[in-house]
Amino acid sequence: EDVRRRIEELLDRITWSPGARSGLREEYGSMPRPRRMPPFRSLVVDRLGFLWAEDYRRPGDSVPVWTVFDPEGRGVARLTLPAELELLDVGADYLLALHTGAGGRETVRLYGLSRS
């Protein structure tokens, strides 16, 4: 079901050719399916050596959830970011994120970060 939903998400982005949608649906349908899904969607190493691991998101799930690991590999935090933010960089006291607003307008935003 996850693969089918992801294919539909991808096909919904095609606006240049109605015929391309049916051809791609057929092509995607013939591809081998993974046996399991990945544990993470993305990884970011911050300026202090902490690893930020974003949970894999199932199709339709737009909320990014991150687990933060210290340099020794211990989980030290878990946080949920707003769906409209994409994490770009993490410093000692800041988060830099891409914000996608109404109409797809993108802006880069800087947020303070407390590591207490």
Side-chain angles (χ1 to χ4, degrees), residues 1 12 29 33 45 62 66 103 110:
E1 181 61 19
D12 285 345
R33 303 285 190 256
V45 178
S62 62
W66 292 82
L110 183 65

Side-chain angles (χ1 to χ4, degrees), residues 11-86:
L11 293 175
D12 285 345
R13 296 180 187 168
I14 296 174
T15 58
W16 43 269
S17 169
R21 287 177 53 93
S22 62
L24 283 172
R25 180 178 283 115
E26 188 176 314
E27 188 174 331
Y28 284 141
S30 67
M31 291 180 174
R33 303 285 190 256
R35 292 185 182 171
R36 63 187 111 230
M37 298 309 214
F40 304 114
R41 181 172 190 249
S42 60
L43 301 170
V44 174
V45 178
D46 72 19
R47 306 290 173 142
L48 300 179
F50 286 71
L51 175 68
W52 294 62
E54 182 185 6
D55 290 356
Y56 173 76
R57 289 190 238 167
R58 295 180 69 185
D61 185 4
S62 62
V63 179
V65 178
W66 292 82
T67 303
V68 182
F69 298 91
D70 70 13
E72 287 76 40
R74 294 182 296 254
V76 295
R78 189 148 168 86
L79 65 136
T80 302
L81 295 179
E84 63 273 6
L85 291 183
E86 178 186 339

